[in-house]
Protein backbone atom coordinates (compact mmCIF):
# COMPACT_ATOMS: atom_id res chain seq x y z
CA UNK A 1 0.00 0.00 0.00
CA UNK A 2 1.38 3.29 -1.01
CA UNK A 3 1.03 6.35 1.31
CA UNK A 4 0.41 9.47 -0.44
CA UNK A 5 1.43 12.71 1.14
CA UNK A 6 -0.46 15.81 0.32
CA UNK A 7 1.11 18.67 -1.28
CA UNK A 8 3.57 20.68 0.73
CA UNK A 9 1.35 23.78 0.96
CA UNK A 10 -1.70 21.83 2.03
CA UNK A 11 0.31 19.80 4.47
CA UNK A 12 1.64 22.88 6.12
CA UNK A 13 -1.87 24.30 6.42
CA UNK A 14 -3.21 21.12 7.94
CA UNK A 15 -0.35 21.01 10.42
CA UNK A 16 -0.86 24.62 11.46
CA UNK A 17 -4.70 24.39 11.99
CA UNK A 18 -4.52 22.76 15.40
CA UNK A 19 -2.13 25.43 16.52
CA UNK A 20 -4.53 28.18 15.44
CA UNK A 21 -7.43 26.52 17.24
CA UNK A 22 -5.41 26.22 20.41
CA UNK A 23 -4.27 29.78 20.15
CA UNK A 24 -7.82 30.94 19.55
CA UNK A 25 -9.04 29.04 22.61
CA UNK A 26 -6.16 30.47 24.65
CA UNK A 27 -7.07 33.96 23.58
CA UNK A 28 -10.71 33.32 24.35
CA UNK A 29 -9.91 31.93 27.78
CA UNK A 30 -7.64 34.87 28.41
CA UNK A 31 -10.36 37.33 27.50
CA UNK A 32 -13.12 35.43 29.44
CA UNK A 33 -12.40 36.93 32.92
CA UNK A 34 -12.57 40.38 31.47
CA UNK A 35 -15.87 39.60 29.80
CA UNK A 36 -17.29 38.04 32.98
CA UNK A 37 -16.05 41.02 35.02
CA UNK A 38 -17.71 43.39 32.56
CA UNK A 39 -20.94 41.41 32.76
CA UNK A 40 -20.74 41.38 36.56
CA UNK A 41 -20.23 45.11 36.49
CA UNK A 42 -23.28 45.49 34.31
CA UNK A 43 -25.59 43.42 36.66
CA UNK A 44 -24.85 41.67 39.96
CA UNK A 45 -27.71 39.46 41.21
CA UNK A 46 -28.59 39.84 44.91
CA UNK A 47 -28.60 37.04 47.44
CA UNK A 48 -32.37 37.05 47.48
CA UNK A 49 -32.50 36.65 43.69
CA UNK A 50 -29.95 33.83 43.82
CA UNK A 51 -31.99 32.15 46.59
CA UNK A 52 -35.20 32.51 44.60
CA UNK A 53 -33.48 31.13 41.52
CA UNK A 54 -32.12 28.26 43.59
CA UNK A 55 -35.54 27.57 45.07
CA UNK A 56 -37.22 27.64 41.71
CA UNK A 57 -34.67 25.22 40.30
CA UNK A 58 -34.78 22.92 43.40
CA UNK A 59 -38.26 21.95 44.79
CA UNK A 60 -36.71 20.35 47.87
CA UNK A 61 -34.96 23.56 48.71
CA UNK A 62 -38.30 25.37 48.25
CA UNK A 63 -39.95 23.01 50.73
CA UNK A 64 -37.06 23.46 53.15
CA UNK A 65 -37.33 27.22 52.82
CA UNK A 66 -41.07 27.04 53.47
CA UNK A 67 -40.46 24.93 56.57
CA UNK A 68 -37.81 27.40 57.69
CA UNK A 69 -40.27 30.25 57.13
CA UNK A 70 -42.95 28.44 59.16
CA UNK A 71 -40.45 27.80 61.92
CA UNK A 72 -39.40 31.44 61.84
CA UNK A 73 -43.04 32.55 62.07
CA UNK A 74 -43.65 30.17 64.97
CA UNK A 75 -40.53 31.46 66.69
CA UNK A 76 -41.69 35.04 66.15
CA UNK A 77 -45.14 34.16 67.51
CA UNK A 78 -43.57 32.44 70.51
CA UNK A 79 -41.32 35.43 71.10
CA UNK A 80 -44.31 37.77 70.86
CA UNK A 81 -46.28 35.55 73.26
CA UNK A 82 -43.28 35.45 75.60
CA UNK A 83 -43.01 39.23 75.48
CA UNK A 84 -46.75 39.54 76.14
CA UNK A 85 -46.52 37.14 79.08
CA UNK A 86 -43.47 38.96 80.41
CA UNK A 87 -45.32 42.29 80.14
CA UNK A 88 -48.40 40.78 81.82
CA UNK A 89 -46.25 39.33 84.60
CA UNK A 90 -44.49 42.69 85.01
CA UNK A 91 -47.86 44.49 85.15
CA UNK A 92 -49.21 41.99 87.68
CA UNK A 93 -46.04 42.34 89.75
CA UNK A 94 -46.27 46.14 89.59
CA UNK A 95 -49.95 45.98 90.57
CA UNK A 96 -49.09 43.64 93.44
CA UNK A 97 -46.33 45.95 94.59
CA UNK A 98 -48.70 48.91 94.39
CA UNK A 99 -51.31 46.97 96.37
CA UNK A 100 -48.76 46.04 99.02
CA UNK A 101 -47.60 49.64 99.25
CA UNK A 102 -51.19 50.83 99.54
CA UNK A 103 -51.81 48.27 102.29
CA UNK A 104 -48.63 49.38 104.05
CA UNK A 105 -49.70 53.02 103.77
CA UNK A 106 -53.14 52.10 105.09
CA UNK A 107 -51.58 50.22 107.98
CA UNK A 108 -49.27 53.16 108.64
CA UNK A 109 -52.26 55.51 108.49
CA UNK A 110 -54.24 53.33 110.88
CA UNK A 111 -51.25 53.07 113.19
CA UNK A 112 -50.73 56.83 113.03
CA UNK A 113 -54.44 57.40 113.74
CA UNK A 114 -54.25 55.05 116.72
CA UNK A 115 -51.17 56.85 117.96
CA UNK A 116 -52.94 60.19 117.53
CA UNK A 117 -55.95 58.92 119.50
CA UNK A 118 -53.66 57.59 122.22
CA UNK A 119 -51.77 60.88 122.28
CA UNK A 120 -55.04 62.81 122.53
CA UNK A 121 -56.13 60.64 125.44
CA UNK A 122 -52.80 61.14 127.14
CA UNK A 123 -53.10 64.87 126.49
CA UNK A 124 -56.58 64.93 127.97
CA UNK A 125 -55.36 63.00 131.00
CA UNK A 126 -52.45 65.40 131.34
CA UNK A 127 -54.81 68.36 131.03
CA UNK A 128 -57.07 66.89 133.70
CA UNK A 129 -54.08 66.33 135.94
CA UNK A 130 -52.87 69.86 135.25
CA UNK A 131 -56.31 71.26 136.00
CA UNK A 132 -56.44 69.24 139.21
CA UNK A 133 -52.96 70.41 140.16
CA UNK A 134 -53.94 74.00 139.33
CA UNK A 135 -57.07 73.69 141.45
CA UNK A 136 -55.03 72.25 144.30
CA UNK A 137 -52.49 75.03 143.89
CA UNK A 138 -55.20 77.67 143.97
CA UNK A 139 -56.81 76.04 146.97
CA UNK A 140 -53.46 75.92 148.73
CA UNK A 141 -52.74 79.54 147.80
CA UNK A 142 -56.19 80.52 149.05
CA UNK A 143 -55.61 78.68 152.30
CA UNK A 144 -52.19 80.27 152.69
CA UNK A 145 -53.68 83.67 151.90
CA UNK A 146 -56.42 83.06 154.45
CA UNK A 147 -53.86 82.03 157.05
CA UNK A 148 -51.71 85.05 156.25
CA UNK A 149 -54.80 87.27 156.39
CA UNK A 150 -55.70 85.87 159.78
CA UNK A 151 -52.19 86.56 160.99
CA UNK A 152 -52.33 90.13 159.69
CA UNK A 153 -55.78 90.62 161.23
CA UNK A 154 -54.41 89.37 164.55
CA UNK A 155 -51.51 91.78 164.26
CA UNK A 156 -53.88 94.64 163.47
CA UNK A 157 -56.01 93.74 166.50
CA UNK A 158 -52.95 93.58 168.73
CA UNK A 159 -51.66 96.98 167.56
CA UNK A 160 -55.08 98.60 167.97
CA UNK A 161 -55.67 96.98 171.37
CA UNK A 162 -52.28 98.06 172.71
CA UNK A 163 -52.57 101.62 171.37
CA UNK A 164 -56.15 102.11 172.55
CA UNK A 165 -55.45 100.69 175.98
CA UNK A 166 -52.36 102.84 176.48
CA UNK A 167 -54.27 105.92 175.34
CA UNK A 168 -57.12 105.27 177.81
CA UNK A 169 -54.95 104.11 180.69
CA UNK A 170 -54.69 107.54 182.42
CA UNK A 171 -58.45 108.07 182.27
CA UNK A 172 -59.20 104.61 183.62
CA UNK A 173 -56.73 105.00 186.48
CA UNK A 174 -58.16 108.39 187.41
CA UNK A 175 -61.69 107.04 187.31
CA UNK A 176 -61.37 103.57 188.86
CA UNK A 177 -58.04 103.79 190.63
CA UNK A 178 -55.96 100.63 190.83
CA UNK A 179 -58.61 98.22 191.96
CA UNK A 180 -60.46 95.41 190.26
CA UNK A 181 -62.74 97.85 188.50
CA UNK A 182 -59.72 99.37 186.74
CA UNK A 183 -58.52 95.93 185.63
CA UNK A 184 -61.95 95.04 184.29
CA UNK A 185 -62.19 98.38 182.53
CA UNK A 186 -58.78 97.88 180.89
CA UNK A 187 -59.72 94.33 179.77
CA UNK A 188 -62.99 95.54 178.26
CA UNK A 189 -61.28 98.41 176.47
CA UNK A 190 -58.51 96.15 175.16
CA UNK A 191 -61.09 93.71 173.78
CA UNK A 192 -62.99 96.56 172.13
CA UNK A 193 -59.83 97.97 170.56
CA UNK A 194 -58.77 94.54 169.35
CA UNK A 195 -62.12 94.08 167.61
CA UNK A 196 -61.80 97.62 166.30
CA UNK A 197 -58.39 96.84 164.74
CA UNK A 198 -59.69 93.78 162.86
CA UNK A 199 -62.80 95.63 161.68
CA UNK A 200 -60.81 98.71 160.72
CA UNK A 201 -58.45 96.64 158.51
CA UNK A 202 -61.37 95.05 156.67
CA UNK A 203 -63.38 98.28 156.45
CA UNK A 204 -60.72 100.48 154.90
CA UNK A 205 -58.87 97.84 152.84
CA UNK A 206 -59.32 99.75 149.57
CA UNK A 207 -59.83 103.25 151.00
CA UNK A 208 -56.81 103.97 153.14
CA UNK A 209 -56.79 107.62 152.05
CA UNK A 210 -60.45 108.36 152.72
CA UNK A 211 -60.57 110.29 155.98
CA UNK A 212 -64.35 110.30 156.34
CA UNK A 213 -64.44 106.49 156.19
CA UNK A 214 -61.78 106.20 158.83
CA UNK A 215 -63.53 108.84 160.96
CA UNK A 216 -66.82 107.01 160.57
CA UNK A 217 -65.35 103.75 161.81
CA UNK A 218 -63.68 105.48 164.77
CA UNK A 219 -66.85 107.40 165.66
CA UNK A 220 -69.01 104.30 165.41
CA UNK A 221 -66.86 102.30 167.79
CA UNK A 222 -66.40 105.28 170.13
CA UNK A 223 -70.10 106.01 170.34
CA UNK A 224 -71.01 102.35 170.79
CA UNK A 225 -68.63 102.14 173.75
CA UNK A 226 -69.11 105.64 175.22
CA UNK A 227 -72.88 106.09 175.02
CA UNK A 228 -73.72 103.13 177.31
CA UNK A 229 -71.23 104.41 179.88
CA UNK A 230 -72.71 107.90 179.66
CA UNK A 231 -76.22 106.54 179.98
CA UNK A 232 -75.31 104.61 183.10
CA UNK A 233 -73.77 107.74 184.57
CA UNK A 234 -76.86 109.84 183.89
CA UNK A 235 -79.16 107.23 185.37
CA UNK A 236 -76.94 106.90 188.38
CA UNK A 237 -77.21 110.66 188.97
CA UNK A 238 -81.00 110.39 189.66
CA UNK A 239 -81.86 110.14 193.42
CA UNK A 240 -84.54 107.54 192.87
CA UNK A 241 -84.92 104.75 190.31
CA UNK A 242 -88.64 105.35 189.79
CA UNK A 243 -88.31 108.96 188.59
CA UNK A 244 -85.75 110.70 186.41
CA UNK A 245 -84.16 113.90 187.75
CA UNK A 246 -83.37 116.21 184.88
CA UNK A 247 -81.37 118.61 187.01
CA UNK A 248 -79.08 115.88 188.27
CA UNK A 249 -78.81 114.52 184.77
CA UNK A 250 -77.80 117.91 183.43
CA UNK A 251 -75.20 118.21 186.19
CA UNK A 252 -73.74 114.84 185.23
CA UNK A 253 -73.89 115.52 181.50
CA UNK A 254 -70.34 116.93 181.19
CA UNK A 255 -68.91 113.86 182.86
CA UNK A 256 -70.98 111.65 180.54
CA UNK A 257 -69.69 113.55 177.51
CA UNK A 258 -66.18 113.07 178.86
CA UNK A 259 -66.73 109.31 178.94
CA UNK A 260 -67.90 109.34 175.33
CA UNK A 261 -64.92 111.47 174.34
CA UNK A 262 -62.54 109.14 176.13
CA UNK A 263 -63.96 106.19 174.18
CA UNK A 264 -63.69 108.00 170.84
CA UNK A 265 -60.17 109.15 171.71
CA UNK A 266 -59.10 105.60 172.53
CA UNK A 267 -60.26 104.32 169.15
CA UNK A 268 -58.70 107.36 167.44
CA UNK A 269 -55.34 106.44 168.96
CA UNK A 270 -55.88 102.84 167.85
CA UNK A 271 -56.64 104.06 164.31
CA UNK A 272 -53.49 106.22 164.27
CA UNK A 273 -51.39 103.27 165.42
CA UNK A 274 -52.82 101.08 162.67
CA UNK A 275 -52.13 103.72 160.02
CA UNK A 276 -48.55 103.95 161.21
CA UNK A 277 -48.21 100.16 161.12
CA UNK A 278 -49.66 100.07 157.59
CA UNK A 279 -47.25 102.73 156.38
CA UNK A 280 -44.22 101.06 157.93
CA UNK A 281 -45.18 97.60 156.68
CA UNK A 282 -45.57 96.20 160.17
CA UNK A 283 -49.11 95.19 159.34
CA UNK A 284 -50.25 94.47 155.77
CA UNK A 285 -53.58 95.86 154.65
CA UNK A 286 -56.18 93.50 153.31
CA UNK A 287 -55.50 92.17 149.79
CA UNK A 288 -56.51 94.69 147.16
CA UNK A 289 -55.87 97.76 149.28
CA UNK A 290 -53.59 100.49 148.03
CA UNK A 291 -51.43 102.90 149.98
CA UNK A 292 -50.40 106.20 148.40
Amino acid sequence: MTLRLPATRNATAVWRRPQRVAQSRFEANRRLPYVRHAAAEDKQPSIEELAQELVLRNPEAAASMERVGDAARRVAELQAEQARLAQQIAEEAAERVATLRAEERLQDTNLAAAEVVAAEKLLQAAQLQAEGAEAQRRQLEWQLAQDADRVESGKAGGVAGAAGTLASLPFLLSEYGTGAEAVLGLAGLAASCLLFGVTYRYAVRQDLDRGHLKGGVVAAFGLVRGIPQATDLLLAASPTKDSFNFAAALAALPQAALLVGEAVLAFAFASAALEFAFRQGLVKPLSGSTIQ
Side-chain angles (χ1 to χ4, degrees):
M1 181 175 180
T2 303
L3 179 62
R4 290 184 176 182
L5 296 175
T8 304
R9 185 177 181 180
N10 293 332
T12 302
V14 171
W15 179 76
R16 290 182 175 178
R17 187 179 297 172
Q19 293 180 354
R20 293 191 186 100
V21 172
Q23 187 177 3
S24 298
R25 289 180 179 177
F26 176 76
E27 293 292 338
N29 291 331
R30 189 180 65 177
R31 291 194 302 268
L32 182 61
Y34 297 100
V35 174
R36 290 179 179 176
H37 181 69
E41 289 181 352
D42 294 339
K43 183 179 181 181
Q44 292 182 355
S46 62
I47 297 175
E48 183 178 359
E49 292 176 352
L50 293 175
Q52 290 179 356
E53 185 178 358
L54 178 63
V55 169
L56 292 175
R57 292 179 180 181
N58 192 351
E60 294 180 358
S64 299
M65 291 298 295
E66 186 176 359
R67 288 193 298 271
V68 170
D70 294 338
R73 284 192 299 273
R74 286 195 297 271
V75 169
E77 291 176 356
L78 291 175
Q79 289 178 350
E81 183 66 19
Q82 183 180 5
R84 187 185 65 80
L85 291 175
Q87 183 178 2
Q88 184 177 359
I89 291 172
E91 291 177 355
E92 291 178 355
E95 184 178 358
R96 181 59 180 171
V97 170
T99 303
L100 292 176
R101 290 179 178 176
E103 292 178 354
E104 291 178 356
R105 287 195 296 269
L106 181 59
Q107 292 177 358
D108 294 339
T109 303
N110 294 333
L111 181 60
E115 292 178 352
V116 169
V117 172
E120 289 179 352
K121 291 182 178 180
L122 291 175
L123 179 60
Q124 292 177 356
Q127 289 178 349
L128 291 176
Q129 292 179 356
E131 291 177 357
E134 182 66 18
Q136 292 178 357
R137 184 185 65 81
R138 291 179 180 177
Q139 182 67 22
L140 181 59
E141 289 180 353
W142 182 81
Q143 291 178 357
L144 293 175
Q146 292 294 318
D147 294 339
D149 184 69
R150 293 187 184 96
V151 171
E152 296 299 325
S153 296
K155 290 164 62 176
V159 170
T165 302
L166 291 175
S168 299
L169 183 60
F171 300 102
L172 291 174
L173 292 177
S174 63
E175 182 179 357
Y176 298 109
T178 58
E181 292 182 358
V183 175
L184 292 176
L186 286 174
L189 180 60
S192 298
C193 290
L194 189 148
L195 180 61
F196 167 79
V198 175
T199 306
Y200 186 88
R201 179 172 177 268
Y202 278 93
V204 299
R205 56 183 176 178
Q206 293 181 351
D207 301 288
L208 292 178
D209 292 330
R210 292 187 180 182
H212 64 280
L213 181 61
K214 299 175 184 178
V217 176
V218 171
F221 271 83
L223 293 176
V224 169
R225 177 175 173 79
I227 288 176
Q229 293 178 351
T231 302
D232 293 339
L233 180 62
L234 293 176
L235 291 176
S238 299
T240 60
K241 296 181 180 179
D242 296 335
S243 62
F244 182 75
N245 191 345
F246 286 98
L250 289 174
L253 186 60
Q255 188 177 1
L258 182 60
L259 291 176
V260 175
E262 290 176 0
V264 174
L265 184 63
F267 291 113
F269 271 96
S271 174
L274 285 174
E275 291 294 329
F276 178 79
F278 289 153
R279 302 295 177 181
Q280 297 298 321
L282 300 176
V283 178
K284 294 181 181 179
L286 193 64
S287 299
S289 60
T290 56
I291 300 177
Q292 301 295 333

